[in-house]
Amino acid sequence: VWLSQILQGMAMKYAVEGWRRNMPRSMGALYWQHNDMWPAPSWASLDWKLNWKALHYMAKRFFAPTMISCVEDVEGGSVAVHITSDVQTEQHGTVEYVITDAQGTALERGEFPVTIAPAATSIVRTLDVSAHLSQKSTRDLLVWLTLRIDSAQVSEDLTLFCRPKHLTLRQPHIQTKVQAAGEGQYDVTLTTDSTALYTWLELHGAKFSDNFVHLRPNAPVTIRV
């Protein structure tokens, strides 16, 4: 069940990001389907009780009004960083990137400013990762990207150079810290000692601000429950 939801979300992400990057030839995308009327093993992103499946959490990211996405070129040893905006005004932000091995150990990090045109898409930079690929391998390299506007994170992306099942991941040890955040609300902060992809919190009857998140060492993720 977990893997099938991830596969569905990845497929939709790959397609929708491509269509959004293709503006103005295509100006968006809709996916089938949104919700279910009864219990079923279906392609809906909400189940019949309106619980969010993996796709629905991923859709919140790949439908972000201002979205960062990447296209990897394994043979060329590069990553093209795209920013796509449906916002009708010019924006100014910062792209932060971290290149790690499969365990999450940082190999390179940096940031650069970006000016984001209204209702447009563009390649804002191409990262050269050829040296890292030659020292590591396609199974042992990841590129993590974050887009911030006015210091607030508005979008993020993760680039792989092989199929996820081929990554040289090891069993992560995830720790949780729970803190009250108001009546009936709690912040759950997740930390890990090794890369943990598509980490999923589950609690009967609960609603989550995010889920199916990517974790790496020294980068805590907090989810409101």
Side-chain angles (χ1 to χ4, degrees):
V1 170
W2 182 69
L3 289 174
S4 68
Q5 287 196 41
I6 292 170
L7 175 62
Q8 179 192 27
M10 287 178 58
M12 292 291 192
K13 175 181 185 292
Y14 188 88
V16 172
E17 287 181 347
W19 285 318
R20 292 190 64 190
R21 285 193 297 262
N22 201 32
M23 67 162 57
R25 185 180 177 90
S26 61
M27 291 300 291
L30 296 173
Y31 66 78
W32 182 271
Q33 69 191 56
H34 181 259
N35 65 314
D36 267 329
M37 295 177 62
W38 45 69
S42 79
W43 46 80
S45 62
L46 297 175
D47 73 13
W48 70 293
K49 289 187 175 182
L50 300 183
N51 295 309
W52 290 27
K53 299 182 185 179
L55 169 59
H56 215 73
Y57 290 103
M58 295 186 200
K60 189 168 74 167
R61 300 174 206 137
F62 61 67
F63 278 131
T66 304
M67 176 191 72
I68 190 169
S69 65
C70 298
V71 178
E72 72 282 1
D73 180 352
V74 177
E75 292 186 0
S78 65
V79 174
V81 181
H82 296 249
I83 294 183
T84 304
S85 176
D86 286 327
V87 176
Q88 300 300 306
T89 57
E90 184 177 87
Q91 301 174 90
H92 300 274
T94 302
V95 173
E96 301 171 357
Y97 68 89
V98 182
I99 302 174
T100 73
D101 62 16
Q103 312 313 322
T105 302
L107 306 173
E108 179 184 335
R109 63 177 70 240
E111 63 178 58
F112 53 89
V114 289
T115 298
I116 306 166
T121 188
S122 65
I123 298 175
V124 294
R125 182 164 296 192
T126 300
L127 302 177
D128 183 357
V129 297
S130 56
H132 296 300
L133 282 172
S134 63
Q135 293 175 6
K136 295 289 184 178
S137 73
T138 57
R139 299 184 176 201
D140 194 24
L141 199 69
L142 301 90
V143 180
W144 312 69
L145 290 112
T146 302
L147 173 62
R148 297 187 186 277
I149 296 177
D150 296 330
S151 299
Q153 178 177 312
V154 298
S155 184
E156 61 182 352
D157 198 21
L158 174 65
T159 299
L160 311 179
F161 300 92
C162 67
R163 295 174 185 266
K165 66 180 181 179
H166 291 151
L167 287 171
T168 55
L169 300 173
R170 67 179 180 218
Q171 183 67 37
H173 297 91
I174 300 172
Q175 294 185 323
T176 60
K177 179 181 178 182
V178 181
Q179 186 172 358
E183 185 176 355
Q185 299 185 50
Y186 298 86
D187 284 336
V188 179
T189 300
L190 306 174
T191 56
T192 184
D193 64 347
S194 188
T195 299
L197 304 183
Y198 302 103
T199 303
W200 180 13
L201 293 184
E202 192 173 32
L203 179 65
H204 181 70
K207 303 296 182 183
F208 305 94
S209 62
D210 204 357
N211 223 338
F212 290 87
V213 296
H214 300 319
L215 305 178
R216 61 182 172 88
N218 303 312
V221 172
T222 299
I223 296 174
R224 175 67 56 88
V225 181

